[in-house]
Amino acid sequence: MKLLAWLVIGAPLLGASAPPILGAQGKPLTVTGVRGVTFGAVFPGVPRVISRTDPANSGQFDIKGPNRSRVLLSFVLPLTMTGPAGAQLPLSFGSSDAGYSQSQAIGSQIGFDPKQPFTAALANNGRGSVFVGGTANPTANQRAGAYTATITLTVTVLP
Amino acid sequence: MKRAVWLAAALGFAASSLAAQGVMVAPHAVYIDHRVRSGSVLLYNPGTEPVEVTISTLFGYPTTDSTGAIMLRTVDAPDSTLPSALAWIQAFPRRLTVAPLERQTVRLLARPPVGLADGEYWVRLVIAAKAGQIPIVGVSDTTAIQVGLTLEVRTIIGVAYRKGPVTTGVVLSQLRAQLLGDTLVTWSRLERQGNAAFVGTVRGTVVDSTGATRATFASPLGVYFTMQPRIASIVGKLPRGRYWLRYEVVAEREDLDPAVVLPAPVARDSVRLVVP
């Protein structure tokens, strides 16, 4: 699969119409959303906290890029989830609700504030994982129905 | 039936059965030559679901904040004092869907203004990838809360447009270093020279009083104007004694084609370290 991916990527680049001095210019970068944050059962008026170290319920993004390269991580976090007839379910994120792991192990994270940019170095094999938790804050009279939200991770290659 | 029935609802951003989603972007840095005025980026979907991709551009460059952390400074409307290509490099298409195991090419077309001065001009490509709506699972009771999530990932890569002779270099000053447990933290001031970004690597070597190497580190770095980066590296616990940190900034990058890395003189400095 990995070989296939490289072949698919590499073939057109080799034939690209760039001038001789500017050929295939860099390695691929892949950012993958692996697992969303799962809050499980909640109760009206009772906050539900998911830790970034929760192996089953925390969110996870995997990054694969050039070995040892630096990337800037930043989140766009929803303040609420939108439900039936526009009903809102509040969300909050603490100052250590995100974590980064070079080894991609959930148990060896460096915590960071998901509301602030964080510079991460990919591992010697070009990999890294980002984990995120958060808190759902249903109100006492939270309306029943389906609620949705989007969480966005931006990975900026430096430079 | 607003009662506790919904309390057992599955409330979450996403179901745990969510399939991985995202796109592979290649290359991770694009260099366009003025003689060609075009470039391309390849997107590949390694997943099992179609991915909707939106392409946009912005102007920004890496710099550092007061703590030395690297950040991307963006400028919504860059003026003529900034080497921006935001107004004249466009990406096509701007919206596309990449099917599973398929690839698509995004073309970059440059229309530089007449009389553009020699130098390097920058823009950043934002590739936003969103998979389909995640199915809501686990709750069939209409009185319960049901929750789904759409994940989105954005990848931002640099695009550099080069016209005519381009040169770069870096001046290194104000080097400081501190050992904190098993971590070596360095600070320095780096000022770019020439008319193009300095793209290279910081290398550090810790030597003891006999000249023997005790630790090394390397960190890729781009200097677009002036920055004062803080670089932390795990070097292991060093025994008591005096050491020297040899610090150099070289125009070498293992992740880029050497043809696009501009040559520059090596900048060097050293600083003493003491482990009490």
Side-chain angles (χ1 to χ4, degrees):
Chain A
M1 175 71 178
K2 191 175 180 181
L3 176 63
L4 174 64
W6 273 98
L7 289 173
V8 167
I9 293 295
L13 288 176
L14 289 173
S17 58
I21 61 166
L22 302 179
Q25 298 163 336
K27 296 181 177 178
L29 177 76
T30 308
V31 185
T32 306
V34 176
R35 181 182 67 239
V37 181
T38 304
F39 285 98
V42 298
F43 298 87
V46 179
R48 171 78 165 127
V49 179
I50 297 298
S51 166
R52 60 178 163 81
T53 59
D54 184 327
N57 298 311
S58 66
Q60 179 178 347
F61 295 86
D62 284 351
I63 305 170
K64 176 75 178 80
N67 301 346
R68 293 178 291 280
S69 60
R70 284 180 170 232
V71 293
L72 190 66
L73 308 174
S74 57
F75 283 100
V76 178
L77 300 167
L79 297 175
T80 60
M81 304 180 81
T82 302
Q88 305 288 301
L89 194 158
L91 295 167
S92 60
F93 297 89
S95 61
S96 187
D97 267 346
Y100 176 71
S101 171
Q102 268 192 349
S103 62
Q104 301 190 294
I106 197 167
S108 65
Q109 302 178 42
I110 299 170
F112 66 95
D113 186 346
K115 295 185 284 293
Q116 301 291 332
F118 178 80
T119 303
L122 300 183
N124 290 340
N125 61 5
R127 294 184 181 275
S129 289
V130 181
F131 299 91
V132 63
T135 303
N137 299 295
T139 59
N141 58 348
Q142 191 71 49
R143 185 173 185 165
Y147 289 77
T148 60
T150 299
I151 185 167
T152 303
L153 174 67
T154 299
V155 178
T156 303
V157 182
L158 297 172
Chain B
M1 202 163 66
K2 296 178 184 176
R3 46 177 206 262
V5 176
W6 71 276
L7 304 180
L11 173 60
F13 271 134
S16 57
S17 58
L18 167 63
Q21 48 196 266
V23 291
M24 177 184 288
V25 178
H28 70 290
V30 179
Y31 291 85
I32 298 176
D33 187 277
H34 180 67
R35 293 168 294 174
V36 176
R37 307 186 188 196
S38 66
S40 64
V41 174
L42 204 63
L43 307 179
Y44 172 69
N45 177 5
T48 56
E49 299 291 330
V51 175
E52 295 176 15
V53 177
T54 304
I55 307 292
S56 58
T57 53
L58 61 81
F59 178 77
Y61 54 89
T63 185
T64 46
D65 65 14
S66 59
T67 69
I70 295 176
M71 53 178 284
L72 185 71
R73 177 167 295 159
T74 59
V75 181
D76 291 339
D79 61 22
S80 60
T81 64
L82 292 169
S84 170
L86 180 62
W88 44 269
I89 287 184
Q90 293 180 304
F92 302 99
R94 289 178 172 269
R95 286 182 170 274
L96 62 156
T97 300
V98 187
L101 305 180
E102 294 289 330
R103 60 182 167 84
Q104 298 240 13
T105 300
V106 175
R107 303 287 178 191
L108 301 175
L109 183 60
R111 294 192 180 92
V114 175
L116 183 72
D118 289 347
E120 188 179 78
Y121 299 84
W122 312 319
V123 69
R124 287 188 176 263
L125 202 62
V126 183
I127 300 127
K130 183 189 295 186
Q133 190 75 28
I134 293 168
I136 296 168
V137 298
V139 179
S140 56
D141 189 333
T142 57
T143 64
I145 288 185
Q146 304 176 60
V147 179
L149 170 72
T150 300
L151 286 183
E152 183 170 327
V153 294
R154 292 181 192 163
T155 306
I156 301 181
I157 64 172
V159 179
Y161 183 93
R162 290 174 175 171
K163 177 177 184 290
V166 285
T167 62
T168 192
V170 68
V171 173
L172 165 64
S173 62
Q174 300 177 21
L175 176 62
R176 292 185 294 133
Q178 186 176 7
L179 280 163
L180 299 171
D182 63 353
T183 301
L184 174 64
V185 184
T186 66
W187 297 265
S188 64
R189 184 176 192 274
L190 301 171
E191 182 179 357
R192 193 208 78 192
Q193 307 293 294
N195 61 355
F198 176 89
V199 176
T201 302
V202 171
R203 288 184 185 147
T205 304
V206 178
V207 297
D208 62 20
S209 56
T210 69
T213 297
R214 304 302 295 261
T216 61
F217 71 89
S219 179
L221 195 70
V223 184
Y224 283 66
F225 292 110
T226 298
M227 66 191 331
Q228 295 181 284
R230 173 188 185 274
I231 300 174
S233 307
I234 296 175
V235 296
K237 195 81 174 175
L238 293 172
R240 291 175 61 182
R242 294 174 181 272
Y243 302 87
W244 281 95
L245 167 65
R246 294 174 181 164
Y247 188 95
E248 61 181 19
V249 188
V250 298
E252 298 173 10
R253 284 290 287 265
E254 64 179 40
D255 59 324
L256 293 172
D257 185 332
V260 303
V261 178
L262 297 176
V266 178
R268 291 189 176 92
D269 200 353
S270 58
V271 66
R272 175 160 289 193
L273 291 167
V274 178
V275 179

